[in-house]
């Protein structure tokens, strides 16, 4: 008799911490909260990641595209999944994003300022998802002179 290595009620593994540099070295990034509205942070973050050379997928519940790149309405619609997620949504939406990320192999989630809450972070930890909370990806890219190149350290 064999046993299921991951029974449905088994606790998720404790997430390994992820550094900002390690997150920035990921390639395929979902931007949850990307928007075609150029004056919004969701657009600015999406565009900057795209301009830095990331393979970016915009995630928006109703927008058909951002800068001619087709949007998906949820993480589950991204073929092949992603390496990481940038979250620029209200905490109520961020909670569902974390749950969707858990179904996609638990990519690390970077919550931009205002996108998280204690409940969101607790749910991410419960589901085994590494998180970055607080600093802005735009500020961190500026500090590093853009996207880090080379192998992770």
């Amino acid at each position: 008799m064999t046993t299921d290595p991951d029974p449905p009620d088994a606790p998720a593994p404790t997430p390994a911490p992820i550094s900002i540099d390690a997150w920035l070295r990921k390639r395929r990034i979902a931007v949850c909260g990307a928007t075609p509205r150029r004056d919004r942070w969701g657009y600015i973050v999406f565009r900057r990641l795209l301009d830095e050379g990331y393979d970016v997928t915009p995630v928006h519940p109703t927008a058909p595209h951002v800068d001619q790149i087709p949007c998906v309405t949820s993480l589950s619609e991204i073929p092949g999944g992603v390496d990481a997620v940038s979250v620029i949504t209200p905490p109520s939406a961020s909670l569902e994003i974390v749950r969707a990320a858990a179904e996609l192999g638990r990519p690390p989630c970077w919550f931009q300022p205002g996108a998280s809450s204690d409940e969101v972070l607790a749910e991410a930890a419960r589901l085994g998802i590494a998180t970055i909370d607080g600093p802005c990806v735009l500020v961190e890219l500026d500090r590093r002179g853009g996207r880090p190149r080379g192998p992770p350290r």
Side-chain angles (χ1 to χ4, degrees):
M1 179 172 148
T2 61
T3 58
D4 184 355
D6 268 335
D9 58 349
T14 302
I18 186 161
S19 69
I20 290 170
D21 285 326
W23 193 98
L24 289 172
R25 282 192 172 85
K26 304 291 185 184
R27 171 141 170 64
R28 296 191 69 199
I29 309 291
V31 179
C32 295
T35 176
R37 293 181 54 194
R38 293 174 182 243
D39 62 331
R40 305 298 299 247
W41 289 114
Y43 176 83
I44 296 166
V45 168
F46 164 81
R47 188 73 235 178
R48 176 69 184 273
L49 292 172
L50 188 65
D51 290 346
E52 290 286 348
Y54 291 95
D55 179 3
V56 183
T57 301
V59 181
H60 190 281
T62 60
H65 53 78
V66 177
D67 285 357
Q68 307 309 313
I69 297 175
C71 289
V72 296
T73 61
S74 71
L75 290 175
S76 64
E77 294 178 25
I78 301 172
V82 294
D83 300 327
V85 180
S86 177
V87 184
I88 314 150
T89 58
S92 57
S94 300
L95 195 57
E96 292 308 314
I97 291 163
V98 163
R99 291 175 180 149
E103 299 293 320
L104 287 176
R106 299 182 181 101
C109 293
W110 188 336
F111 297 97
Q112 302 309 308
S116 70
S117 67
D118 290 343
E119 181 183 14
V120 170
L121 296 174
E123 184 71 351
R126 184 185 75 75
L127 294 170
I129 297 171
T131 60
I132 298 172
D133 181 46
C136 175
V137 68
L138 301 172
V139 171
E140 296 301 328
L141 283 166
D142 285 346
R143 283 186 184 155
R144 288 159 176 78
R147 180 179 177 197
R149 307 294 183 203
R153 294 185 238 179

